[in-house]
Amino acid sequence: MKPPHILLIVGGGIAAYKACELIRLIRKAGMSVRCVLTDGGAQFITPMTLAALSENEVFTTLWDLKNETEMGHIQLSREADLIVVCPATADLLAKMAAGISDSLATTVLLATDTPVLAVPAMNVRMWQHAATQRNVARLRSDGVTVVDPDDGAMACGEYGPGRLPEPVAIMERIEAALGRRPIGKAGPLAGKRILITAGPTHEPIDPVRYIANRSSGRQGFAIAEAAAAMGADVQLISGPVHLPTPPGMTRIDVETAREMAAAVDATLPADIAILVAAVADWRTADAAEQKIKKTGGALPVLQLAENPDILAGLARDARRPALLVGFAAETENVIEHAQAKLARKGCDWIVANDVSGDVMGGSENAVHIVTADGVESWSNLPKDQVARKLMEKIADVIR
Ligand code: C5P
């Protein structure tokens, strides 16, 4: 599943500085973003600022021949799932409504059939002017989503409608324009706080070496994404993985099992906990402070110590979530081992999977849901479907 890509056109107004915060939020939601900065916009913020925040080249002029061969204005809009104009000045809105293409920004906007979200910001009188209102009405009837500006004190010292909405509110409009549910607002898990662990843990041997396992974090991240899409307040605690954060959740990155245990403790209370992480059972008893050197003499011996069992600890905790779900990766006698684990760990459900194939790091998973009431086995499914089915089952029992 390719994450959404946003083309952000930054117009020339004092609110341009808020585009910087918006870029941060877009990226935090797991999306990529590329910026076009108008001449007016460049009077307020620099291409360097946008390039650093977006980690992408910034485009400013239509007459850059190198870019017209390698990354032309058509390509800029074609690669985007959504074009966001923020801030959309009175001038940009007028040009968009009239179909004028006299700059890179306006040419991209005329040349595209990608959905456009315009977020106006301007002086109250400019916003209320009949010409601007006419342009906004025209754009809306052309299919452009024009966000209403906020009411309030303005940089020019006046008061009224014309302020750029807060970046968090703009982000919600972006999610909605992409067809994603605004996170935490609705859905069967709205108001539920869900703690999810995912990924492996790394247990250091010395500053450069560590003990790890093959967990990619994909199943845990897919579950977090499904939970957030159903309206839950998701707290995702992740070991070291190479995955973007799905939209609309809080992510805490940890490295070791003990750090994960501390993060879980700090995140409680929660209504539901789903511990998907492949936590290392052992760590080295004493990680060396300096890199262990190859001396040619006796081989180093790794002394191991047991890690805390986060799931079993949570089952005994006074703040135990109402529903506690563990995972079990087994290579043989999957169901028997899962049933034993359910009793040993004191959790409510065990989601058991056979990892004798390439499940760890792969994209599919065949799981068995083991509870006190029995076993439900699902056929082999992509990990995001396993995630959705699991969250639907959880939503059914938690109501
Ligand atoms: O004992 P085992 O590692 O097979 O148990 C797997 C389940 O226990 C998973 O839900 C995993 O997240 C959790 N676990 C844990 N802390 C550990 C080991 C496993 O929370 N130290």
Side-chain angles (χ1 to χ4, degrees), residues 15-38:
Y17 77 93
K18 288 193 187 170
C20 301
E21 176 65 8
L22 183 61
I23 295 171
R24 254 182 22 82
L25 294 179
I26 291 171
R27 301 206 52 211
K28 212 169 141 203
M31 306 178 195
S32 58
V33 54
R34 198 189 278 286
C35 299
V36 168
L37 182 61
T38 66

Side-chain angles (χ1 to χ4, degrees), residues 197 275-277 279-281 308-311 326-328 341 344-345:
T197 66
L275 303 195
V276 196
V279 184
D281 291 318
D309 190 315
I310 304 169
L311 179 58
F327 268 62
K341 194 164 291 181
R344 195 169 64 244
K345 301 248 186 184

Side-chain angles (χ1 to χ4, degrees), residues 116-137:
V116 177
L117 178 77
V119 195
M122 66 196 72
N123 165 276
V124 52
R125 266 170 255 286
M126 291 171 82
W127 172 251
Q128 287 173 335
H129 196 283
T132 304
Q133 290 305 309
R134 195 167 56 235
N135 292 332
V136 168

Side-chain angles (χ1 to χ4, degrees), residues 169-381:
I170 300 171
M171 196 59 220
E172 279 183 14
R173 299 299 297 260
I174 291 175
E175 303 262 12
L178 288 166
R180 299 181 178 212
R181 192 196 306 275
I183 304 305
K185 292 284 181 289
L189 291 171
K192 299 289 179 208
R193 185 173 164 91
I194 308 192
L195 184 166
I196 297 169
T197 66
T201 62
H202 285 180
E203 309 296 332
I205 296 170
D206 65 20
V208 296
R209 305 182 179 96
Y210 56 84
I211 301 173
N213 61 63
R214 294 187 195 282
S215 168
S216 65
R218 288 169 73 175
Q219 184 64 81
F221 273 55
I223 289 169
E225 180 163 9
M230 289 166 76
D233 163 16
V234 176
Q235 307 289 314
L236 173 62
I237 300 170
S238 175
V241 296
H242 300 284
L243 293 173
T245 311
M249 64 187 62
T250 305
R251 169 170 170 180
I252 303 157
D253 284 312
V254 298
E255 203 172 313
T256 66
R258 287 192 291 178
E259 285 171 12
M260 189 172 275
V264 166
D265 188 70
T267 301
L268 289 172
D271 300 296
I272 303 162
I274 312 171
L275 303 195
V276 196
V279 184
D281 291 318
W282 307 284
R283 65 176 181 275
T284 50
D286 287 302
E289 281 184 13
Q290 304 298 334
K291 186 180 171 193
I292 301 169
K293 304 301 281 182
K294 194 159 72 175
T295 57
L299 293 174
V301 175
L302 292 183
Q303 189 72 42
L304 299 180
E306 198 160 338
N307 268 332
D309 190 315
I310 304 169
L311 179 58
L314 202 48
R316 291 190 300 265
D317 198 293
R319 298 162 297 171
R320 184 195 196 280
L323 182 68
L324 182 54
V325 181
F327 268 62
E330 303 287 350
T331 53
E332 54 175 359
N333 302 333
V334 178
I335 290 170
E336 295 75 32
H337 282 148
Q339 280 164 332
K341 194 164 291 181
L342 186 73
R344 195 169 64 244
K345 301 248 186 184
C347 57
D348 302 306
W349 300 359
I350 285 279
V351 181
N353 52 355
D354 186 339
V355 291
S356 53
D358 63 353
V359 164
M360 283 193 133
S363 61
E364 296 202 334
N365 208 353
V367 304
H368 312 272
I369 314 292
V370 180
T371 70
D373 299 332
V375 181
E376 194 178 308
S377 297
W378 299 346
S379 58
N380 203 32
L381 291 170

